[in-house]
Amino acid sequence: MTCQHISTRSTLFASAALALILGMTGSALAQDTADQPPQAELEDHTTQPQDQYQPSLDVLAEEELPVPGAPEGVEPLTQAEFNEANEIYFQRCAGCHGVLRKGATGKALTPDLTRELGFEYLQSFINYGSPAGMPNWGTSGDLTPEQVDMMAKYIMLDPASPPEWGMPEMRESWIVHVPPEDRPTEKMNDWDLDNLFSVTLRDAGQIALIDGGTYEIRKVLDTGYAVHISRMSASGRYLFVIGRDAKVDMIDLWMEDPSVVAEIKIGSEARSVETSKMEGWEDKYAIAGAYWPPQYVIMDGATLEPLRIVSTRGMTYDEQVYHPEPRVAAILGSHYRPEFIVNVKETGKIQLVDYTDLKNLKITEIDAERFLHDGGLDSTRRYFITAANARDRLVVIDTKEGTLEAVTDTGGITPHPGRGANIEHPVYGPVWATSHLGGESVALIGTDPEGHPDQAWKIVDSFYALGGGSLFVKTYPGSNHLYVDATLNPDAEISGSVAVFNIDEFDDDPETEPEYTTLNIAEMAEITEGQPRVVQGEFNKDGTEVWFSVWNAQDMESAIVVINDETLELVKVIKDPRLITPTGKFNVKNTQQDIY
């Protein structure tokens, strides 16, 4: 039986449960504390793949901020303790509860709530966790007893507020290394740019440019910390990368020795960058969105000069209450209108930003669903399909008409599509695939409202893959394979493998489960130390090979494994001391043309 509508397992991010508990009454907390099992019987909540996915704010953890005053009856923290508590909070908790602790995916942890509950209640729940989903930070050994006590005190203090980042700060960080007039007027190297891969070397703060034909590392470039994505300009000349430290680097691939020609820092934490794609506006503008401060900035596409900053603070779409910290998640450039498509995570709004007149900026704001995350375009590039992941839904936007097309429930499980995968299903026609953080399944949603109207924007099928903890699915036009990773699965053999489905064998029989081939990519890489995790398949320019990152600890060997898409046989293992924690890989042609 196919797992139609998937499973009902709760997949709220791990730390969100703390906020739910803190919203209880004091008597409920006391009862739950009394019912705690002995320490030896406590479930280790970090064993579930969805609990290992921590949307941490790495760079904010490095901020040194003054210690706020302690409430009466609470022992104050020293500056050193406050710095340590800030680091723990930003790395483990802020991704769900927000920088200002006013709630994000998780509920609020503001002092008016936490002080009423008191130190002992807070200390107990941080230490022991709860079967409801709160990780047992103390008894699991993740935090020491002293750190548990410190965090209980910390969340009773006023929230630390990192600095804002406006136009003066952006312009001060903005550097043009090579002005446009000093750049080449034609391609000056012999690189096959269409088959070039930009590979994130996460913990090194670098990217590697790798030739897809020779597998040679052409160059390693210093960038921002933990590059999240690489995006191509519409012309295919400029490569834009953004680190989680909100640093944007612009690389000119036409130069004899491709190099960074401009850079800017657009905040303290960020994830997304994109360029204008509409015909007639190619390469005109770039846009980057920040987690902190909650805003996005439109920049000159040739120099990264900041031109217009837009704050995303405002009302949630449903309850219409003010949210001080709506982070900017996925951004796409429309191919149908001169617009950027901007996901505003916490308020549940999608903004269509018309860039034809920055002085008189026009923004169409679509009420969608809260906790918008990542997503991609269908095969026609008309429809944007994005995950509202903590609400277990997919949202569809018609980028040609500029309207909300549909909101589809995924059946109580958290979608994490990356950009998704466009498939020509033998029965249902064009469909788009997503995998899920906490569940084992893959879902297919119909994307052909004209040819297959009965299936449009509905989940037409769902089926099991290797296991929970998948981050990305991948296919390519003309390929008959769908690849599904399981990067965050706690089982080393599963996290080091991918499931490969034969698309030609998909059918509409709810009684059959499609079979898949398991490729142990980590074993092919012959990496025996650590727990190397396989992540994010990416095809070469011809769709004949698919590349996987074998992502290991920073001080251990990592690799990239290349597979023949037709035979599923090993083609190449790329190893090099410079390949430190490789994660995302972005082929120039596929990224430029939104092929996935």
Side-chain angles (χ1 to χ4, degrees), residues 170-426:
M170 285 192 198
R171 296 195 75 88
E172 185 176 351
S173 73
W174 171 50
I175 302 172
V176 178
H177 297 286
V178 183
E181 60 270 21
D182 294 337
R183 299 173 198 166
T185 57
E186 59 183 13
K187 182 171 171 284
M188 300 298 291
N189 57 63
D190 61 356
W191 295 18
D192 181 359
L193 295 186
D194 278 353
N195 210 22
L196 189 69
F197 287 77
S198 174
V199 179
T200 297
L201 306 180
R202 187 189 187 282
D203 294 334
Q206 297 173 323
I207 62 161
L209 299 178
I210 304 181
D211 189 306
T214 65
Y215 315 111
E216 172 191 0
I217 298 178
R218 288 282 195 163
K219 189 168 186 178
V220 173
L221 291 162
D222 292 331
T223 59
Y225 168 74
V227 165
H228 193 238
I229 58 173
S230 297
R231 289 290 179 261
M232 289 303 306
S233 67
S235 68
R237 172 176 183 170
Y238 292 112
L239 172 66
F240 297 81
V241 298
I242 189 165
R244 294 197 174 192
D245 57 359
K247 183 172 180 280
V248 180
D249 290 283
M250 178 182 178
I251 300 158
D252 186 355
L253 298 179
W254 279 12
M255 296 174 71
E256 184 175 356
D257 179 27
S259 302
V260 174
V261 293
E263 65 180 72
I264 191 171
K265 188 170 167 59
I266 60 103
S268 299
E269 285 276 347
R271 298 294 187 276
S272 51
V273 67
E274 180 62 293
T275 67
S276 51
K277 297 285 182 69
M278 179 66 181
E279 184 178 356
W281 294 87
E282 298 93 337
D283 297 16
K284 177 70 173 176
Y285 294 117
I287 183 174
Y291 269 25
W292 185 266
Q295 61 193 28
Y296 53 89
V297 57
I298 301 173
M299 302 163 285
D300 182 89
T303 65
L304 295 184
E305 178 183 5
L307 302 174
R308 181 70 184 260
I309 302 172
V310 179
S311 172
T312 55
R313 292 179 169 109
M315 301 295 175
T316 60
Y317 91 95
D318 47 3
E319 298 173 354
Q320 298 196 51
V321 295
Y322 179 73
H323 200 295
E325 196 187 330
R327 296 171 290 176
V328 177
I331 303 177
L332 274 79
S334 173
H335 294 270
Y336 284 85
R337 292 151 64 116
E339 292 176 339
F340 292 120
I341 306 160
V342 180
N343 275 0
V344 185
K345 196 177 185 80
E346 278 71 35
T347 55
K349 297 177 180 179
I350 295 176
Q351 294 188 0
L352 308 181
V353 184
D354 184 333
Y355 48 71
T356 58
D357 184 355
L358 299 189
K359 290 289 186 182
N360 301 286
L361 193 65
K362 296 178 181 177
I363 299 174
T364 299
E365 194 168 77
I366 297 175
D367 289 348
E369 183 55 277
R370 294 183 68 185
F371 313 116
L372 297 161
H373 192 57
D374 53 358
L377 298 170
D378 78 310
S379 58
T380 69
R381 303 192 300 187
R382 172 173 175 173
Y383 297 99
F384 174 49
I385 310 165
T386 184
N389 49 23
R391 287 282 174 90
D392 304 330
R393 289 174 180 166
L394 296 171
V395 175
V396 183
I397 300 297
D398 183 342
T399 67
K400 182 178 180 180
E401 299 298 330
T403 56
L404 177 68
E405 184 76 7
V407 178
T408 300
D409 197 301
T410 59
I413 197 164
T414 304
H416 191 279
R419 290 215 156 184
N422 287 302
I423 295 169
E424 187 65 32
H425 194 283

